[in-house]
Every structure is written in C-alpha cells, then in structure tokens.
C-alpha cells in the first residue's frame, strides 16, 4: 500500500507540475478542465498497471537424490506485536471521519438553503433567493443570490452570466469529485493543490463565457473587484474569489494560438510514456519448458482417456446423489487432474468441477506461528477437557510433562460440539501442538512433502510401466499432471533449497522406441504393417538365429513381434487378407527347461525324455469336426493355434514352478496365442463349423511370500487354489472319462475366476503389480 501511495503521489506531482508550467495560463480552458480530471485518474491507475514479460526457462533436471538431512530450515521465533500499523490506521481513520463530517455538513447546508428559501426556476438553472447578504455562487444547477439585490437588479448581468456558466457547464460535479477524494486522501497535500487548480480553471471558463458575450473587459474587471473584495468563498460551490483575481486578469488578456495548443498537447505523449515506464509494475514470469517433451507419451495433449472421462462423470454423479456430502480431498485432486488433462471439447461435455465444489486456497507455508503462553500450556494437561496431538500424533496429556511451553512453536485449538465427540475423544477441546521440526514438516515443507510423496509413487509405477507391455497408463498420466502442476508453483529458491526433482516423462511405447521406423502417426495402417513386417522378417532371417542372440537383441525382436500383433488386429478384414501373419521368432525350435536351465531344440531332434518336459497345451474339448470336411485354411489355422498354445502352455508351466521366466514374456506369448485363436474362430464361423469350447484353465498367480502377504491376501490365495484344483479335476474327468457337462464346467470356471479376480485385486493393491492374464480358451481340435 505504501509503495502504491508513493507512486500515485509522484505521478500526480509530475502531472501537476506540467500543468503549472505549460498549461495553467494558456487560453485553452476546456482542455485544461479534462486534463486535471484525467491527471487524477492516471495517477491512481498507472501504479496498478503491470507489464508482464514471459521468458522460456528449461526445467532443471536434478539427478541427485533427495537428502532431507541436508536441508536447513530456519527457526522462526514468535515476533513481538507491532503497534505502529494500529496507530497509523487509527490516525488515518480519524482524519477520514473528520473530513467526512465536514463534507456532510457542507452538503447539508447547501441543500437546506435550497429547501428553505424561495426559488425562481428558469430555463437552464434555478435561482435560490437568500435573505442574508452573500456573494453570488453556484452549486449544481442552483445559483444562490441575495434576494433584495436580485429583485432590485443591483447584481450586474455579467455576474449573473458568470454564475449561469458555472451551472450550465456543471462545474460542481468536478468539485464534488475532488471533495470525495479529499475525504479519502486528506493526508495528501497535492489533492488541495489540484482542488484549487480545478476551481480556478472553472473561473477561467466562466470569465471566457462572459467576455465572449460582448462584455467590456475593463468594466468586467471592475465588477469582479467590487464583488470579490469582501466576499468569502462558500465550500463546495463556485463563486467569485478575490485571491485569484490577478491571475484571472492576466489570463483574460492571454491569446493562445492553435499551433501552441497542438504542441503543448503533443508534449503529453512522451510524458505519459515516461509515467507508465517509471511507475507501472514490471513483472517477469518464467515459462517452464520440458526438455523431455519429445519423449513424452503420445497421448499427452490429446485429452483424457475414455476411462478417465467415465471416472470424472461417476465422481460427480455420486456426489450429487449423496445425501451426506463428504469429499476425500486426495481423490478430489485426482479428479481435478483428470479435468486438467481434458481437451476443450471434452471439457465442454462435462461439468466444470469449480462450479460444483469450491475450496479456499490455503497457503500452509506462510502460516504465522502462534506460540502458547505458559498458562495455556499448563491448562492442556487436564485430560478431562483437552485431547492432545503433538506433531499430528495423538499422545496422552501426561506427555506434556516432558515439554515446556517454549518447546511448542505453534498450536491449533478446536472446540468440539457434543454431537461430534466420540467415546475415544469425549473432551470439549482438541489441541494440536507443533514443535519446531513438526511445524517445519507440517507447514513450511507441506507442499514439498506432498510433491515428494506423489513423486515416489510415480517413480515406482513408472519403473513397472517401463518393464511391462502396457502401452498407456491412466494413473501415470494423472500423477504426471499433478506433479507438473505442483512443480510450477515452486520458486527457484525452493527448488534449489529442497532439491526438488522434476518428474521424468512417460516414455513412448512404439516402434520408434525399439529403434525401428514408424515416423508418421497418420500413416496408412496397411502400409505401416507391411513396413514393420518386412523389418521383422529381415531381423529374424539374419544370422545367428534368434536363440543365439543377446538378450537385448531378443527383446528388440520380441517387442516388434508384439507390435505386429497389435497392428494386425487394427487392420480391416479386407486388409488382413492382403498380408501375412508373423511367425514366432523361436521357430523351428522349442524351449526346454532342464534342472532350471533353458535349452532350445528343434522338434525333429527331441528325444522321448525331452518330450516329457513339454507340458500339454490348454485342454481342448471333444469335438465332431472331421478332417475331410475342413478346408486347408482351417487346418492351417488349427495347426498354428496348436503350436502357439503348446508354447504358451510350456511357459505357464515353467512360471508356475517358479523357474526363470518373466511375466512380460508370458504376456507376449498369451497375445500371440490369442491372435491365432481369433483367426481360427473367424474361419470356423465363416465355414459354419460349430465349436464346443471348454473354458480355459485358471491363470497362475505370482509365487506367494507368506512373510509379505497380508492375512486377507493369504486367505484369498487359499480360496483360489481350492477353486482352481476343483476346476482342473473336473476338466480332466470331462476329457478322459467323459464325466460332467459343459454347463457344470462353465459354472466351476466362473467360480474360479471370481476368486482369481479377488486375489489379483489384492495383489495389485499390496504389491503394485497385477498378476498374469488368464490363458486363452482352446479351439476345437481337428482330428484325422
């Protein structure tokens, strides 16, 4: 406020000095009238103007880990009460009160004169005839005259014309404005100077009007001297003033050329520019530029996913339908982040969260400390009246005996109404006390701690995302938005002081990441598939064979094989007929696991012992299909499925035994097997061949670690194992002995999958990673 007042006063002073030097004595009175009013407005407005300069600043990527032990936090002691603001505001308030009373008194006197005296209404004004002797003066459209002098025509017509000009040009409005400003800024001497200049210019305007009507200048001067020598100037009214007569006489003789008017007016342009440059506010804002933008997930900037949109709508649907409105603020922040991710079109399709829920902005780090007095501290030891928390942790009241009042730097004391008390906390008051370290963690570092907590979860999920087959992850996108939003609110000093790390961008999972070539997002899907297929064929035909390559090279080929599967299913039926499907890179070999070691052999080279190591494919049902009734296309599709299902079954068996095979490898085999199954079913449907597909075997769960599993998860695992065994036994009897029906198997399968879903949800919740997808259902076999 002080800076604003100083700037405003400086602006007004410069504009007033310019007026006195270049304008006051010039015969350009109408221009001067509006100049003085504009000078007041500009002096108040210019210090409020802010020019913002935006500069792009690359985001600092700190690679060093956070070390909280190295962060120094300054101790904030309780400051003594500063009484000067109270004294200054009291003096200011007293001044406003005095000048307000004066303004009201003067206004009342004028309106009482109008009300209590006879009036003579004329075309553009009203004469108020007073019994007491008074100098003619004007307020609004009322001209106050001595009744006797007016009726006996002792008032010269020049004086009457002078006052009529004041009324017609509404000079009183200018005076009222400056009087109101004088009430608010009574301490500013410039207001009084400006007020005098405005009223003097009103006299110039009235004099100009009289002389323009043909009045004799010398005679008019004598009249002014006669009427002003013994006159007193009424407040808030325009009247003839003796103190200004000499200057008025000088101005009457002054003649100002049009050229002079233009030149003096032109001087205002550099003056205004100087004032804006000198007294406006200059602000530089940094726009953070993410140097990793080229590596971010391709969905960023393309809006929220459909799953996010549904989550957003569901949240507010439940909120609007709830009788008791209770908000989980952590989850609400997630909803806000989803809204931030939306495109303009998506936002137009939903309700803006700010129109439904409005929360006040709380800046915890700028919280002023409130230390307790010794008497307050001792009163909290009463366990009947107070429940105590120290640094957000509940403690018995007796613990306060280990502290002194000086140990507590801040406290919150909340009164608890009867209907809100519980059996655990029946006290009337709940008091949260903060030590120096607790205050720092809870208030000073509140935003930093929130940021680091989200960042820790984000980094863990990002690590899992990088090593699995997911293409997109909603939770990662939401946390990424939350982190960037929080990071933008930190100052440079906070970032450096607390070593705040900018979140790593979400990597793109496509062929560019694999070192392959898909450069254009809007390529023809068919051409894209052909291009990737040719690349894959080239890679797999190169020597050495896939099984003899490094793990990095295998991963590159495996990722491309998975990508081809995804691209294949994005093609239309017509386009699928124009391309070939990719063969697994392991062919013509099969993978064997002997004594925990992986070996590769061609099928033609397998011994009887080797074949025993190959687990059977997922159990096919009995079927009536006959080879002679099936086309070559269907036979090939069945052979492909059998081969993929066998390979996948072997991988599942190895995984179940805890042998060295990853979830990512199993997922790729699963996708591959499902692809051949979809192809088989499509051909079978086309050739109108019925199928009697048995539900698939239940999926395996990750190996259990009883020390880490909760009781709930251990119980869920046991239930799943029991259901899976029952289902496996039923499938075996159905295949080998013909016992049971497909309906019974379906019923057992649904029960098993229900326990599987419950168990997998708990695993994801407790361990942060979901278990494997279920094996694919078997296709009807074709027998010779």
């Amino acid at each position: 406020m002080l800076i604003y007042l100083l700037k405003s006063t400086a602006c007004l002073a410069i504009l007033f000095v310019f007026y006195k030097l270049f304008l006051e004595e010039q015969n350009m009175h109408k221009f001067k009238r509006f100049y003085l009013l504009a000078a007041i407005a500009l002096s108040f407005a210019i210090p409020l103007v802010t020019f913002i300069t935006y500069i792009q600043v690359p985001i600092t990527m700190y690679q060093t880990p956070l070390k909280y032990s190295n962060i120094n936090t300054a101790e904030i002691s309780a400051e003594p009460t500063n009484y000067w603001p109270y004294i200054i505001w009291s003096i200011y308030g007293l001044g406003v009160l005095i000048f307000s009373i004066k303004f009201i008194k003067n206004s009342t006197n004028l309106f009482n004169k109008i009300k209590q005296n006879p009036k003579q209404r004329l075309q553009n004004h009203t004469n108020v005839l007073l019994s007491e002797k008074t100098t003619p003066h004007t307020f609004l459209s009322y001209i106050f005259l001595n009744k006797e002098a007016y009726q006996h025509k002792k008032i010269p017509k020049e004086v009457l014309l002078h006052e009529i000009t004041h009324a017609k040009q509404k000079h009183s409005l200018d005076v009222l404005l400056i009087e109101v400003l004088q009430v608010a800024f009574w301490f500013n001497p410039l207001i009084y100077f400006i007020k005098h200049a405005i009223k003097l210019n009103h006299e110039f305007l009235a004099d100009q009007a009289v002389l323009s009507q043909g009045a004799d200048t010398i005679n008019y001067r004598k009249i002014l001297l006669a009427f002003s020598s013994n006159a007193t100037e009424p407040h808030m009214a325009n009247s003839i003033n003796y103190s200004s007569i000499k200057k008025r006489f000088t101005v009457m003789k002054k003649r100002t050329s049009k050229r002079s008017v233009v030149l003096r007016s032109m001087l205002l342009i550099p003056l205004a520019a100087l004032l804006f440059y000198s007294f406006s506010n200059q602000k530089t804002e940094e726009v953070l530029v993410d140097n990793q933008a080229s590596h971010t997930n391709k969905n960023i900037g393309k809006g929220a996913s459909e799953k996010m949109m549904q989550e957003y709508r569901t949240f507010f649907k439940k909120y609007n339908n709830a009788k008791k409105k209770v908000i989980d603020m952590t989850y609400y922040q997630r909803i806000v982040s989803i809204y931030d991710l939306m495109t303009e079109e998506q936002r137009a399709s939903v309700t803006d969260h700010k129109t439904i829920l409005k929360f006040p902005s709380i800046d915890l780090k700028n919280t002023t400390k409130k230390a307790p007095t010794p008497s307050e501290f001792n009163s909290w030891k009463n366990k009947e009246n107070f429940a105590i928390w120290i640094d957000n942790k509940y403690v018995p009241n007796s613990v306060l005996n280990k502290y002194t009042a000086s140990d507590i730097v801040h406290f919150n004391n909340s009164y608890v109404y009867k209907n809100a008390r519980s059996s655990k906390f029946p006290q009337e008051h709940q008091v949260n006390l903060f030590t120096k370290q607790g205050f720092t963690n809870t208030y000073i570092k509140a935003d930093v701690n929130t940021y680091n907590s989200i960042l820790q979860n984000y980094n863990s999920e990002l690590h899992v995302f990088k090593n699995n087959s997911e293409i997109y992850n909603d939770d990662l996108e939401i946390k990424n938005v939350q982190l960037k939003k929080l990071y933008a609110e930190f100052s440079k000093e906070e970032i450096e002081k607390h070593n705040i790390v900018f979140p790593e961008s979400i990597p793109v999972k496509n062929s560019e990441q694999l070192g392959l070539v898909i450069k254009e997002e809007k390529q023809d899907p068919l051409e894209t598939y052909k291009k990737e297929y040719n690349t894959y064929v080239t890679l797999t035909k190169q020597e050495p064979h896939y099984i003899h390559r490094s793990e990095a090279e295998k991963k590159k080929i495996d990722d491309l094989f998975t990508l081809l599967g995804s691209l294949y299913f994005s093609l239309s039926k017509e386009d699928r007929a124009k391309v070939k499907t990719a063969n697994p890179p392991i062919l013509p070999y099969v993978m064997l696991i002997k004594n925990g070691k992986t070996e590769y052999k061609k099928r033609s080279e397998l011994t009887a012992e080797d074949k025993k190591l190959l687990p059977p494919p997922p159990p096919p049902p009995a079927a009536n299909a006959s080879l002679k009734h099936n086309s070559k296309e269907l036979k090939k599709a069945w052979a492909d499925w059998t081969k993929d299902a066998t390979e996948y079954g072997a991988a599942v068996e190895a995984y179940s035994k805890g042998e060295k095979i990853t979830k990512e490898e199993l997922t790729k085999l699963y996708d591959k097997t499902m692809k051949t199954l979809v192809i088989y079913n499509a051909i079978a449907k086309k050739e109108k061949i019925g199928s009697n597909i048995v539900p698939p075997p239940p999926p395996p769960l990750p190996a259990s670690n009883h020390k880490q599993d909760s009781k709930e998860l251990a119980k869920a695992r046991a239930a799943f194992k029991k259901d899976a065994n029952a289902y496996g036994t039923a499938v075996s009897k159905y295949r080998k002995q013909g016992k049971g029906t497909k309906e019974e198997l379906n019923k057992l399968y649904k029960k098993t999958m229900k326990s599987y879903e419950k168990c997998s949800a708990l695993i994801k919740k407790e361990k942060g990673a979901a278990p494997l997808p279920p094996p694919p259902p078997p296709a009807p076999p074709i027998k010779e």
Side-chain angles (χ1 to χ4, degrees), residues 359-575:
F359 297 101
S361 177
I362 301 174
D363 189 1
L364 292 176
K365 63 186 175 186
N366 289 324
T367 300
T368 303
K369 287 184 176 180
K370 182 174 64 175
T373 62
S375 59
E376 284 178 317
F377 182 80
N378 289 328
S379 68
W380 295 333
K381 295 179 182 180
N382 184 343
K383 65 179 181 180
E384 301 298 327
N385 296 331
F386 299 95
I388 303 297
W389 282 258
I390 296 180
D391 295 339
N392 295 313
K393 182 180 179 181
Y394 172 73
V395 296
N397 298 63
S398 58
V399 173
L400 293 179
N401 293 323
K402 299 178 182 179
Y403 294 85
T404 63
S406 61
D407 294 327
I408 307 302
V409 299
H410 184 67
F411 73 93
N412 294 319
N413 188 351
S414 303
Y415 179 79
V416 184
Y417 290 93
K418 287 185 178 181
N419 60 348
R421 298 172 196 170
S422 64
S423 57
K424 186 176 181 180
F425 301 114
Q427 297 93 335
E428 290 183 352
H429 296 271
Q430 293 184 358
V431 185
N432 202 338
L433 312 179
F434 296 94
T435 61
K436 181 178 70 174
Q437 188 60 45
F439 183 84
T440 298
N441 292 333
T442 305
Y443 291 94
I444 306 300
K445 289 174 57 179
D447 294 340
V448 176
N449 291 338
T450 299
Y451 181 87
N452 288 333
S453 176
I454 298 174
L455 182 64
Q456 185 178 7
N457 291 333
Y458 174 78
N459 287 338
S460 298
E461 292 182 19
L462 185 62
H463 176 74
V464 173
F465 177 76
K466 286 180 178 180
N467 294 286
N468 64 22
S469 60
E470 283 184 294
I471 300 299
Y472 187 74
N473 187 300
D474 283 350
D475 289 339
L476 276 179
E477 296 292 345
I478 293 169
K479 286 185 174 67
N480 185 273
V481 169
Q482 288 177 330
L483 289 168
K484 287 184 177 179
K485 193 173 182 180
L486 287 170
Y487 188 92
E489 294 175 0
F490 291 124
S491 64
K492 269 187 175 180
E493 293 74 18
E494 287 176 312
I495 291 172
E496 292 172 359
K497 179 180 179 181
H498 301 298
N499 200 12
I500 300 172
V501 182
F502 188 77
E504 182 182 349
S505 296
I506 304 171
V508 179
K509 289 195 173 181
N510 58 17
S511 62
E512 288 185 12
Q513 184 189 26
L514 307 175
L516 305 173
V517 186
I518 296 183
K519 297 294 182 183
E520 299 291 334
E521 285 190 10
K522 295 185 178 180
Q523 283 186 354
D524 177 22
L526 180 61
E527 292 303 317
T528 300
Y529 180 88
K530 288 180 178 179
K531 196 171 186 179
E532 297 293 348
Y533 178 83
N534 292 335
T535 303
Y536 176 78
V537 171
T538 302
L539 285 174
T540 52
K541 285 186 176 181
Q542 289 175 353
E543 293 296 335
H545 188 272
Y546 168 86
I547 65 172
H548 301 301
R549 297 192 184 187
S550 66
E551 292 301 319
E553 290 177 308
K554 286 181 180 179
K555 185 178 186 306
K556 183 176 179 179
I557 296 172
D558 289 341
D559 289 342
L560 183 52
F561 180 72
T562 302
L563 177 64
L564 282 170
S566 176
L567 291 173
Y568 181 83
F569 284 104
S570 68
L571 298 175
S572 63
K573 291 183 179 179
E574 294 76 13
D575 286 344

Side-chain angles (χ1 to χ4, degrees), residues 4-125:
Y4 170 78
L5 289 174
L6 291 174
K7 286 185 175 182
S8 177
T9 302
C11 285
L12 188 58
I14 293 171
L15 290 168
F16 182 68
V17 169
F18 180 87
Y19 175 81
K20 296 291 286 185
L21 293 176
F22 297 100
L23 300 177
E24 186 178 52
E25 295 187 359
Q26 301 303 314
N27 194 348
M28 44 194 297
H29 309 310
K30 288 183 180 180
F31 176 82
K32 291 190 296 181
R33 179 186 182 185
F34 292 104
Y35 172 87
L36 289 169
L37 295 175
I40 296 172
L42 284 174
S43 66
F44 288 122
I46 288 176
L48 296 175
V49 174
T50 301
F51 293 99
I52 302 176
T53 303
Y54 294 95
I55 58 173
Q56 290 188 341
V57 178
I59 294 170
T60 306
M61 298 298 292
Y62 294 98
Q63 299 300 329
T64 55
L66 292 173
K67 296 181 180 179
Y68 295 106
S69 58
N70 293 334
I71 298 176
N72 297 319
T73 54
E75 180 180 353
I76 302 176
S77 57
E79 296 181 0
T81 304
N82 183 5
Y83 292 101
W84 277 110
Y86 300 102
I87 296 171
I88 292 171
W89 280 106
S90 298
I91 294 172
Y92 171 76
L94 181 63
V96 170
L97 178 62
I98 292 172
F99 279 85
S100 297
I101 292 172
K102 183 180 177 182
F103 176 81
I104 294 170
K105 181 182 176 182
N106 293 333
S107 302
T108 304
N109 288 338
L110 286 170
F111 284 112
N112 284 339
K113 282 184 181 180
I114 296 170
K115 185 178 181 180
Q116 296 171 3
N117 290 282
K119 294 176 282 293
Q120 184 183 47
R121 299 185 186 279
L122 300 175
Q123 185 177 0
N124 295 318
H125 67 279

Side-chain angles (χ1 to χ4, degrees), residues 298-315:
K298 61 183 178 183
N299 193 64
I300 293 177
K302 295 186 179 180
S305 67
E306 185 55 39
K307 184 179 177 183
M308 292 185 201
M309 296 295 292
Q310 187 59 41
E311 183 178 354
Y312 185 91
R313 294 187 186 99
T314 301
F315 175 84

Side-chain angles (χ1 to χ4, degrees), residues 573-640:
K573 291 183 179 179
E574 294 76 13
D575 286 344
R576 288 181 192 176
K578 299 175 184 178
V579 297
K580 296 179 180 180
T581 56
N583 291 319
I586 195 174
L587 295 180
Y589 294 88
V590 294
M591 183 176 64
L592 301 174
I593 300 176
K594 294 182 179 180
N595 302 321
K597 293 183 179 181
T598 302
E599 294 181 9
Y600 296 94
K601 280 189 177 183
K602 291 183 178 180
R603 284 191 176 274
S604 58
E605 299 173 352
L606 294 177
T607 64
E609 293 297 321
D610 290 335
K611 291 180 181 179
K612 291 179 181 179
L613 297 174
L614 295 175
N624 299 322
S626 175
L627 181 64
K628 63 182 179 180
H629 298 299
N630 297 133
S631 66
K632 291 181 180 180
E633 189 180 9
L634 184 62
K635 293 175 185 176
K636 183 179 182 303
W638 177 79
D640 290 341

Side-chain angles (χ1 to χ4, degrees), residues 767-782:
K767 303 183 181 298
L772 293 171
I782 301 176

